[in-house]
Amino acid sequence: MRVALERHHVALLDRDAERVVVRAGVVLDPQLEGLLRRRPGDVEEELPRVGVGLGLDLRSLRRRRRHRQPLRRDDLEAQRRAQVVPVDVVERVQVEAEIHLAGTQAQHALGRALFEANYKEEALTYLEKAAELEPTTRTLLDLAVAYSGAARLDDAEAAYGRLLKQNPGFPIALHNLGSLAYRRGNHERAIAHFGHALQADPAYLLARLHLGEALEAAGRPREAYRAYEQVLGMEPRNPQEAKGYIDALYGLAALDLANGAHERAGQLLTELIRIAPNHNKAYYAYGQLLLYMGHPEDAQKAFDKHVQILAAEEPKGPVAMGD
């Protein structure tokens, strides 16, 4: 069993939990690595065939986690001798990390992988360690994002504060502080943070979008409308910003609908449905518009489509780390 840190780039874009070992750069066994590229069920079925003594008894590990007892090398060795096979890849990686991974890079990679697999508390253990060993913009940003994902907002703000002391004007940190303020219901403070992020990076599309949302929540619809219009004049730089562009289009349509600008709202919603046919909010708003225009049957079809899309949506995963 070897730790191959040089392979930590093998699956940087792979977010499935069963591939956490590869994502973190921990290669436990060449055959097992191949199995991790399949669905979790395949891994569980074939683990007994591939390297039986690789892990720690899950019940023992979970008891130890509940009581905050540290993992020990002899625990793993005893389980290897007993030929115990774990059924959870992530659990085994945690044990391996306690034994093999001491460096910042490894702690950080494992923390990110666990967070993306929705193991939030476990992820924080390693991200905190990485930020303690090497408090860089990268490690502090990921730690702050993980705190936010775990609803530890005070800790997230403190981590962003540490980051901004090192890197003043870092736009992602300023934007994320705005998001934290928005979550707390402090819309004016959110507006200020989003404004600072845009001063640092005027092309930051998500900061412009979220500025519009904060302005709307603060009861400033005209300014919100202007912010959404400005988003539509920007060029998305990644898939997340492309989604933000669509959200801005919906924001404009919703404001038009609320203000009685029905013709313009209809044009915007038609365009939105054309480019984003699975946008459930667009169908709901379109149904409202059709009701106002006296087309109840067509409105019902739009509402039905809204419910259909909503039912098909998968639960959202954890907040993505800042790449």
Side-chain angles (χ1 to χ4, degrees), residues 76-98:
L76 183 62
E77 294 301 327
Q79 295 302 326
R80 284 176 180 158
R81 289 194 297 272
Q83 301 280 284
V84 175
V85 182
V87 296
D88 190 303
V89 170
V90 182
E91 299 278 6
R92 181 167 57 262
V93 181
Q94 289 180 264
V95 178
E96 289 301 315
E98 293 289 342

Side-chain angles (χ1 to χ4, degrees), residues 117-128:
N118 216 19
Y119 285 72
K120 295 178 181 178
E121 290 300 323
E122 293 85 349
L124 282 170
T125 299
Y126 298 105
L127 292 171
E128 287 172 342

Side-chain angles (χ1 to χ4, degrees), residues 158-179:
Y160 285 127
R162 290 174 62 193
L163 192 163
L164 288 168
K165 284 182 179 179
Q166 290 187 5
N167 191 351
F170 185 60
I172 295 176
L174 293 167
H175 166 270
N176 290 1
L177 280 173
S179 296

Side-chain angles (χ1 to χ4, degrees), residues 2-15:
R2 296 177 57 83
V3 177
L5 291 180
E6 67 274 11
R7 303 185 63 179
H8 78 286
H9 291 297
V10 170
L12 284 178
L13 300 180
D14 196 330
R15 304 304 172 105

Side-chain angles (χ1 to χ4, degrees), residues 183-248:
R183 286 174 67 179
R184 293 180 185 274
N186 192 334
H187 301 130
E188 293 298 334
R189 186 177 179 190
I191 290 167
H193 283 307
F194 292 138
H196 293 151
L198 287 166
Q199 288 175 1
D201 180 6
Y204 198 164
L205 187 150
L206 291 179
R208 186 78 62 185
L209 168 69
H210 296 148
L211 173 62
E213 292 174 345
L215 286 165
E216 188 174 354
R220 296 157 65 177
R222 291 185 180 180
E223 294 171 84
Y225 199 93
R226 178 60 183 153
Y228 293 146
E229 285 184 321
Q230 290 172 339
V231 171
L232 297 189
M234 301 171 75
E235 188 68 30
R237 299 175 290 188
N238 53 55
Q240 193 176 16
E241 290 195 345
K243 180 183 179 301
Y245 182 97
I246 290 170
D247 288 343

Side-chain angles (χ1 to χ4, degrees), residues 11 18 21 63 79 113 117 120 226 249 254 259 268-269 306 322:
E18 69 270 21
V21 176
R63 282 196 302 270
Q79 295 302 326
K120 295 178 181 178
R226 178 60 183 153
L249 190 58
N259 292 327
L268 291 169
L269 289 170
H306 160 73

